[in-house]
Amino acid sequence: MKSEPITIILFGRAVCKRLKKDVFKIMPIISLKQQKNDTLSKEIKALPPPKTAYVPLCSSRRENLVATVSVGDTVTPFVTLSQPESGKGSPVNSPFFGKVISIKKFVIPAVGKLPCAEIEVKNTAEQHPDRETAKPEDFSKEEIMDACMRAGIVDELDGRRLWEKLAEASRSGLAAVAVDAVEDDLYSSAGLCVLMNYGGEVAKGLILAGIAANLAERFIAVYSDKSWDEKINESYGGLPVRRFEGKYPQNHKLRKDLDAKGGGIAIGPQAARALYRAVTQNEMQTHTIVTVAGDCVLRSGNYLVPVGMPVGELLYHAGASEQAQLILAGGYIRGIPVTQDTPVYQGLTAVIAVREADKKASVPCIGCGSCASVCPVGLMPNYILEQLAGGHYSMVGGDAIGCIGCGLCTLVCPSKIYVSAGVAKVKKEILELNKFHMEERSDVYGKR
Ligand code: SF4
Ligand code: SF4
């Protein structure tokens, strides 16, 4: 199945060595026959709450959140489950009515083991239609940042807290902010779906992000393909849509665009929409829209899922067959293997179930250099993995931060190592370390 939609053009290592690093910066290398038509042709389907949910009590291992609920407590939608020890930052809010029956640890992809509140669920929070008429310009940057923190928004692009990204961008004096709906992975369409269905809210969220971080240049980026181009407007809420086309990967083009404008940040469509709803309607981010697809999924589509639902239950709703040998969270190429017990977490946008058991087996790195050969931004992922094993993140941080998460290194690795997952972990750790370092010097939001 995999060989049909994907054509890989590999370069021998010797040839690659002779090419300049810049060549890789402009060289997407895979032709993908996109598999989004099915999911994009359907409405977003809201799922009923699970009987039991496992809500992660923080979004990263470095986030110092303390549980505010105990075993036996009754919870209601939007009640705080955990909050920052320092008082500054985002809480985790409950998506459910129910009762806390335990606190357990689960492995969250590219993050590690996180404590989760096991909740016996009675019902879930409902999303309300847009009922706000206020304009984004009516809000001050302080009001936007407060709402962003309170709502506990996680950006699906990188799993980071949105308020932290905006505060960093503000401190760094950047110029631009873009909604990144460049979903070039094979099946993933949650971001495009959000843009098609809630484009106005996404645009207003983008304007709010720009106000909060003093970023005057604002635009929306999508991956262009004839099968869905007509469904995407030329602009949303007055903000232009830029289309990137060509071979996989494409999201590095957005980064180059932002650099050309004097530097900027990209945020996900769901994070932008959540920001709009947090500011104007005081809504907490308790759900995520997830593409469920793959050759074992009968009812592929985009589902509105409460955080904490086990992945196995999500697959059950989507009619996944028992033949699924591999479940990938985050996409087919970029994805990381998970189990049916893994809880749906904030920022999860794709669950792909496939029959490829062979992808599971992994042997040690043989140092072939294939991962470095295909990396479109010229990194040496095998070297980064070596450092990850040694725990010396700071030595390779600069490199790992440049990773665009395309997953090509994983795709070509003959040892079947999830190389991109390791690089993503290093990148997240470094960004977290930088955050604490920058906060010490901050005079913008540091005193909040
Ligand atoms: S995922 Fe791998 S190939 Fe892609 S940019 Fe990151 S390190 Fe390079
Ligand atoms: S991580 Fe995989 S692709 Fe990279 S050098 Fe090692 S074996 Fe080769």
Side-chain angles (χ1 to χ4, degrees):
M1 175 264 158
K2 189 173 155 188
S3 58
E4 191 181 305
I6 301 178
T7 310
I8 305 176
I9 305 163
L10 283 181
F11 300 93
R13 196 180 181 195
V15 176
C16 291
K17 268 187 169 176
R18 270 182 256 132
L19 293 172
K20 284 183 186 165
K21 200 177 171 187
D22 275 352
V23 173
F24 296 107
K25 288 184 180 170
I26 57 167
M27 191 183 284
I29 59 165
I30 293 182
S31 290
L32 284 186
K33 190 170 172 224
Q34 290 288 333
Q35 311 281 310
K36 304 190 203 302
N37 277 352
D38 187 34
T39 52
L40 282 177
S41 64
K42 297 173 186 165
E43 304 258 305
I44 297 169
K45 186 173 182 203
L47 292 185
K51 281 196 170 62
T52 308
Y54 304 89
V55 183
L57 293 175
C58 44
S59 67
S60 80
R61 287 188 302 139
R62 290 185 188 277
E63 206 172 38
N64 283 329
L65 297 190
V66 287
T68 51
V69 288
S70 307
V71 173
D73 283 357
T74 299
V75 292
T76 54
F78 311 133
V79 79
T80 302
L81 297 177
S82 62
Q83 63 185 22
E85 202 168 17
S86 64
K88 177 195 167 192
S90 286
V92 169
N93 304 300
S94 172
F96 307 109
F97 290 98
K99 187 175 175 185
V100 179
I101 50 178
S102 77
I103 307 284
K104 285 182 176 168
K105 285 198 170 181
F106 283 88
V107 175
I108 303 298
V111 175
K113 274 191 176 178
L114 294 184
C116 299
E118 182 180 6
I119 299 176
E120 198 177 67
V121 178
K122 301 270 184 288
N123 211 339
T124 188
E126 283 180 13
Q127 286 218 322
H128 299 287
D130 186 4
R131 57 175 187 274
E132 185 54 53
T133 52
K135 293 182 190 148
E137 293 80 4
D138 294 342
F139 298 93
S140 69
K141 63 188 289 184
E142 288 76 19
E143 286 171 324
I144 299 167
M145 290 298 281
D146 278 341
C148 188
M149 270 190 199
R150 239 188 359 259
I153 301 169
V154 168
D155 187 349
E156 71 268 27
L157 286 190
D158 49 21
R160 297 186 64 211
R161 293 284 182 196
L162 183 60
W163 75 266
E164 288 175 0
K165 288 181 68 169
L166 297 177
E168 273 175 29
S170 176
R171 285 192 293 257
S172 308
L174 303 177
V177 58
V179 160
D180 180 352
V182 186
E183 276 186 316
D184 48 4
D185 207 324
L186 205 55
Y187 297 96
S188 303
S189 67
L192 282 169
C193 205
V194 167
L195 191 60
M196 285 174 191
N197 285 277
Y198 310 109
E201 292 186 18
V202 171
K204 286 177 189 166
L206 180 56
I207 294 170
L208 288 166
I211 294 169
N214 300 321
L215 304 168
E217 182 83 29
R218 298 152 197 169
F219 62 96
I220 296 164
V222 298
Y223 182 39
S224 173
D225 187 285
K226 60 179 183 311
S227 43
W228 63 77
D229 267 352
E230 282 183 2
K231 296 178 183 171
I232 306 283
N233 297 350
E234 291 305 313
S235 67
Y236 290 92
L239 301 181
V241 172
R242 292 203 189 144
R243 295 167 200 261
F244 297 119
E245 56 190 343
K247 291 177 180 175
Y248 181 93
Q250 286 292 317
N251 55 349
H252 63 301
K253 286 187 180 169
L254 172 57
R255 204 175 64 180
K256 286 177 81 176
D257 252 30
L258 290 168
D259 286 348
K261 294 187 178 309
I265 57 165
I267 63 175
Q270 296 204 49
R273 179 176 177 238
L275 180 60
Y276 166 71
R277 296 183 72 87
V279 172
T280 60
Q281 298 171 50
N282 201 22
E283 191 171 287
M284 310 289 143
Q285 191 192 43
T286 53
H287 289 60
T288 177
I289 293 173
V290 184
T291 303
V292 186
D295 59 6
C296 294
V297 177
L298 210 59
R299 295 184 289 279
S300 58
N302 283 297
Y303 292 87
L304 176 67
V305 189
V307 168
M309 174 183 278
V311 162
E313 197 162 333
L314 170 58
L315 286 171
Y316 167 79
H317 285 295
S321 77
E322 287 173 3
Q323 292 170 329
Q325 291 164 310
L326 180 63
I327 305 167
L328 295 162
Y332 180 73
I333 298 177
R334 296 186 166 95
I336 298 172
V338 293
T339 67
Q340 303 223 5
D341 293 336
T342 304
V344 168
Y345 48 92
Q346 281 177 299
L348 178 66
T349 55
V351 170
I352 311 298
V354 289
R355 288 192 182 89
E356 292 170 54
D358 67 311
K359 244 182 156 182
K360 278 182 189 165
S362 120
V363 294
C365 172
I366 56 171
C368 66
S370 299
C371 51
S373 301
V374 297
C375 179
V377 290
L379 304 186
M380 296 181 68
N382 51 335
Y383 177 70
I384 294 173
L385 287 194
E386 263 177 39
Q387 303 302 311
L388 174 64
H392 305 304
Y393 300 138
S394 57
M395 289 169 61
V396 292
D399 277 344
I401 282 174
C403 171
I404 59 168
C406 67
L408 288 175
C409 46
T410 298
L411 200 65
V412 300
C413 177
S415 297
K416 302 190 188 307
I417 297 168
Y418 280 86
V419 189
S420 50
V423 178
K425 195 168 181 180
V426 173
K427 179 175 175 176
K428 195 160 184 192
E429 293 278 347
I430 291 295
L431 288 171
E432 292 284 331
L433 284 173
N434 281 354
K435 179 190 88 181
F436 290 116
H437 179 59
M438 287 182 78
E439 275 175 356
E440 281 169 17
R441 294 180 297 147
S442 163
D443 57 1
V444 180
Y445 291 107
K447 295 188 178 70
R448 294 172 74 88

